[in-house]
Amino acid sequence: MITLKRIVLFIILSAAYLQAADRPNFLIIMGDDCTYNDLPLYGGQNIDTPNLDKFASEGMVFNKAYLSMSMCVPCRAEMYSGLYPVKSGVCWNHSKAKPGTKSAPHYFGKEGYRVGITGKVHVTPKKCFPFEDVKGFESNCVAPTADYDCAGIEEFMARDKDQPFYLAVCLVVPHVVWTVGDSTKFDLDKLKLPPHMAHTPQTRKDFAKYLAEIEYMDMQIGEILKSLEKTGQAENTLVLFTSEQGAQIPGCKWTNWELGVHTGMIVRWPGKVKQGVRTDALVQYADVLPTFMDAAGISYLKDQFDGMSFLQVLQGKKDQHRKYVYAMHNNVPEGPAFPIRSVRTSGYSYIRNLSPERIYIEKHLLAVDQHNPYWDTWVFTSGDNDSTYNLVERYLRRPAEELYDLDSDPFEFDNLANNPEYAKIKSELSKELDRWMAVQGDPGVELDTQKSLQDNRKAK
């Protein structure tokens, strides 16, 4: 005899099963040191990326997505934790998160998700980022190969179709060293160098190697998406591609300029996100975790994250998200202390160099080695060419304040900080930056200098 109690229990269990079956999977595909506007989707003119272009035609392209620190470790910690660097403690490259920091594996694992990562992990400690390790993709970004095998991710995604998954596939291209892909296909004389790069033969040669790795990355993206199709899970999977921070080229990575902190981002979610659309909504990496949780129906407290869900942007219900996005830079251990903070709107970028009396030194870029043999050619020819000298000086010497009109000056060469016509805009952004730093508990200069002192003590 069927009792009322059994009927109620059946309804509850059925509802729970349907809810579990309806929860989307999440797949992140992350490039490594790929300047966003070297991609054709964002104006790049030198390469072909058919897989990425097709993927973009199936989803939403974000024109104005940002990360808060253009270094591999801090930006990844931001995406996985939903926290800015000061809150998580990941304020420098190769630094660890504060004890007790929670991330995607905690929140999604608690809700029954399998949460895995393959390729370049680059976040520690394991207690703060307890991803399941998935085999198949190269984990060393300075290895001479970018070998991969999709069997591991296919097994992970197909392991149990009744259990949803969250998987991050973190590629190592086009991070230096630039050794994979076919750079011989490029006519070096016809390469269109962007304005932040000096026109020397060595620069063209190395730029071609970097571009070849982007095309290799595109091939990998195609294979990853094919693997998802094979599992039969593509229709119920939200896929996010991001190019990470800018390339290891002067003016990109390790800066707060656009080419450092502006990232390429595309989201495909069949039946939920319109195909072939672009948005100017301002978003940043800290927003990804709460957005994914929102999409999965996982509840969280409003003040739990620094990020905010942009689910309604994905659903086409809103075309705006943030008024401001924020960024910081602490140069240690990549070189001597040189702290930078910045804030952006859709149209303007305000950057504050907290130690403008010092010169900026990034040891990986300024030490001539296999990573950047072109830099000495910039310095060597700077006496013969004003534009090359200006690039070298711009990189090494930074003013106290920088203000740029991103619509008319997307490469940020015309500093408007001392232009009285822009005083009101500068004042607004300066006050907003002060507010953000105060909320974050960011002491500014002391954060980088104290780290430098600690590292020097350890070295002794």
Side-chain angles (χ1 to χ4, degrees), residues 134-176:
V134 179
K135 296 185 181 300
F137 283 76
E138 176 65 60
S139 63
N140 187 354
C141 59
V142 294
T145 71
D147 291 341
Y148 68 101
D149 182 343
C150 289
I153 65 171
E154 286 182 25
E155 185 281 327
F156 179 86
M157 292 187 289
R159 187 181 301 163
D160 182 353
K161 291 187 178 181
D162 291 330
Q163 182 187 27
F165 66 80
Y166 172 120
L167 175 64
V169 181
C170 304
L171 310 177
V172 296
V173 283
H175 191 291
V176 292

Side-chain angles (χ1 to χ4, degrees), residues 27-42:
L27 172 62
I28 294 173
I29 305 174
M30 179 179 283
D32 193 1
D33 288 9
C34 178
T35 306
Y36 84 101
N37 62 4
D38 288 327
L39 298 171
L41 279 170
Y42 294 99

Side-chain angles (χ1 to χ4, degrees), residues 173-422:
V173 283
H175 191 291
V176 292
V177 290
W178 298 320
T179 55
V180 300
D182 181 13
S183 63
T184 63
K185 63 173 286 187
F186 298 103
D187 184 332
L188 300 186
D189 293 330
K190 293 182 179 179
L191 275 182
K192 296 179 181 179
L193 294 187
H196 66 283
M197 299 181 71
H199 289 240
T200 69
Q202 186 65 49
T203 303
R204 291 180 174 276
K205 181 179 179 181
D206 291 316
F207 190 50
K209 292 180 179 178
Y210 158 71
L211 295 174
E213 290 224 349
I214 296 180
E215 293 196 336
Y216 190 90
M217 176 185 75
D218 183 74
M219 177 189 68
Q220 288 185 311
I221 292 168
E223 292 297 321
I224 293 164
L225 294 173
K226 284 180 183 176
S227 291
L228 177 62
E229 292 285 347
K230 287 181 184 178
T231 69
Q233 304 258 44
E235 291 301 308
N236 192 38
T237 300
L238 186 160
V239 184
L240 182 149
F241 164 79
T242 176
S243 59
E244 207 208 30
Q245 70 241 341
Q248 192 167 299
I249 294 171
C252 303
K253 185 179 182 180
W254 294 306
T255 77
N256 281 35
W257 289 321
E258 280 286 292
L259 301 186
V261 295
H262 192 149
T263 185
M265 185 181 289
I266 307 165
V267 174
R268 184 186 77 181
W269 191 10
K272 304 290 186 179
V273 174
K274 286 186 177 180
Q275 295 186 7
V277 296
R278 301 184 80 110
T279 178
D280 286 331
L282 278 173
V283 302
Q284 56 185 136
Y285 269 15
D287 299 331
V288 171
L289 178 58
T291 300
F292 281 11
M293 291 176 68
D294 207 3
I298 301 173
S299 61
Y300 56 91
L301 300 176
K302 181 180 179 181
D303 298 327
Q304 194 168 344
F305 305 111
D306 289 318
M308 306 178 294
S309 170
F310 55 82
L311 180 62
Q312 291 191 324
V313 173
L314 292 177
Q315 295 171 331
K317 297 177 181 178
K318 287 185 176 181
D319 57 10
Q320 301 295 322
H321 182 56
R322 288 175 169 269
K323 184 176 181 180
Y324 304 105
V325 292
Y326 311 92
M328 67 186 301
H329 176 82
N330 291 318
N331 205 44
V332 178
E334 309 298 349
F338 197 96
I340 309 170
R341 305 292 185 267
S342 62
V343 60
R344 279 167 169 73
T345 64
S346 287
Y348 292 93
S349 164
Y350 172 76
I351 301 172
R352 187 183 296 163
N353 298 295
L354 304 185
S355 299
E357 72 282 359
R358 297 168 66 85
I359 61 169
Y360 178 82
I361 298 174
E362 203 298 314
K363 62 186 181 183
H364 296 293
L365 285 171
L366 303 188
V368 179
D369 59 13
Q370 62 178 333
H371 290 179
N372 59 323
Y374 53 84
W375 173 254
D376 66 335
T377 69
W378 295 25
V379 176
F380 189 79
T381 60
S382 61
D384 306 320
N385 187 307
D386 286 344
S387 61
T388 302
Y389 172 82
N390 291 338
L391 289 175
V392 173
E393 182 183 42
R394 172 181 183 255
Y395 192 70
L396 296 177
R397 296 172 58 187
R398 314 284 178 90
E401 295 180 294
E402 302 173 60
L403 179 68
Y404 301 102
D405 182 336
L406 298 176
D407 292 328
S408 63
D409 181 27
F411 286 91
E412 298 170 303
F413 285 113
D414 184 14
N415 186 6
L416 305 170
N418 296 322
N419 188 327
E421 294 181 17
Y422 294 86

